[in-house]
Amino acid sequence: EKGTYPHFMLKEIDEQPIVMRKIIKAYQNENNELKLDRNVREAIKACDRIYIIACGTSYHAGWTGKQVIEKLAAIPVEVHVASEFSYNMPLLSAKPLFVFISQSGETADSRAVLVKIKAMGYPALTITNVPGSTLSREADYTLHLYAGPEIAVASTKAYTAQIAVLAILAVDAAQAKGITLDFDPMQELAIAANAMEMLTDQKEAMEDLVVNHLEKARHAFFIGRSSDYYVCLEGALKLKEISYIQAEGFAGGELKHGTIALIEEGTPVIALATQANVNYAIRSNVQEVVARGANAMVISMKGLEQENDTFVLPHVHALLTPLVTVVPLQLLAYYAALHRGCDVDKPRNLAKSVTVE
Ligand code: M6R
């Protein structure tokens, strides 16, 4: 039920900090140690490469998962769009582990890959919000997202839940390999949950940004580097699917290889700047687009902010920034759709669960 909320999407955006805390609780024992299915740990230990298979928003979460798993557990990870993988399978490593990410657990494109790789004899883990779903039943192992029912077609809390569970998987894999981390991952997740809460409390600021940048826009660009880039892909998808503004996410460095030709007077450009190692580079990109007339907004992070940044996010661990960076982008998409009179929860031509290939 929506309760006092005008839309499920807004309710689900607001639920994200609660979902984070549920995940932290579900995957920890009373001694604050990670509690993950032992078979999942063995499967990860036994593999030489992880293949993440997903669609849409879940695919975007997969890219953040790749970064976290590779950085923390030193296991190579590939991320594939399910429909492409089906018909154009890459050369596989000797001991692959397939990880399917799916909110619904019913996505036909992902299932087609699952059926194929099971027939080839490979192990599969499904990360889903619906444990009894097809992808969960047909895989060897399941990790639950604990996000609660997600009703709005635009996925929000499932995305952040997927990233949190992938981070926990990465930590478990690191522990299994005897790698010691120099931070407390569960504490960092809890800090991220608090930061998300601070952001969901700032809806008015987001609505104002929509009025200034997106209400009348025909198109919009999201730019970012490193982990911000993957959040840009997600921000663009959110905006497209519910507000019908043509939007694209780009790696900042790719701008000069073509995209910058599209920037004209007033083009909205949303830049993410939450990564210390690319802060200088992404800011040069902002200058480049502003010099060509872009109506830019910069979303940065405490500690890396500069004068005139549009919005400064609370500081969180560098590997977990997507959890907080995505929140303002979800809210931007929501208010853009609202101000443009779109059906926020049920955008045209879309279904919550895509059960045909
Ligand atoms: O249920 P799934 O996570 O497998 O769904 C995948 C996509 O269909 C889904 O994320 C879709 O892109 C959403 N509408 C995005 O908001």
Side-chain angles (χ1 to χ4, degrees), residues 87-101:
Y87 305 108
N88 195 12
M89 196 179 282
L91 281 178
L92 299 179
S93 65
K95 289 184 269 173
L97 170 67
F98 283 83
V99 174
F100 293 84
I101 309 178

Side-chain angles (χ1 to χ4, degrees), residues 121-177:
Y122 294 127
L125 158 69
T126 290
I127 300 179
T128 183
N129 206 19
V130 188
S133 59
T134 308
L135 283 170
S136 168
R137 282 184 277 111
E138 295 181 359
D140 303 282
Y141 325 102
T142 295
L143 291 179
H144 186 14
L145 291 174
Y146 296 99
E150 192 182 63
I151 310 293
V153 165
S155 185
T156 53
K157 60 178 178 172
Y159 172 80
T160 42
Q162 285 161 348
I163 290 174
V165 171
L166 283 161
I168 288 170
L169 184 67
V171 173
D172 193 65
Q175 286 179 358
K177 290 181 69 180

